[in-house]
Amino acid sequence: MIRSKEEMPHRPIEIDLTGPDGNAHALMAYVHTFGRQLGYSEERIAAICKVMMMGNYEGLVKVFDREFGHFVTIWR
């Protein structure tokens, strides 16, 4: 059955930190993907990644949540 895309239910973006998408490299790749989709400049994306790399994993997750938590649900 072919249906219209308008009928597709809204699905939030979810990231499970205990799975393969929860490692630091995957989260930084999401920064590039989401940043471009939101129209962020390459400089802003690089700055976010730089701040993410300044601390430990917890800090990295907090920066990601601060920047993208308004539309991404993060699960532990």
Side-chain angles (χ1 to χ4, degrees), residues 15 24-50 52-53 64 67-68 71:
I15 297 175
H25 293 288
L27 291 174
M28 292 197 332
Y30 278 126
V31 170
H32 287 273
T33 301
F34 298 151
R36 288 184 184 123
Q37 290 174 351
L38 293 170
Y40 290 4
S41 68
E42 290 300 319
E43 292 81 18
R44 182 172 179 187
I45 292 169
I48 294 168
C49 287
K50 184 176 180 179
M52 288 174 76
M53 291 186 291
F64 184 88
E67 294 292 330
F68 303 104
F71 70 91

Side-chain angles (χ1 to χ4, degrees), residues 7-20:
E7 295 179 61
M8 185 183 301
H10 172 70
R11 294 181 301 225
I13 299 170
E14 298 180 335
I15 297 175
D16 180 2
L17 295 180
T18 64

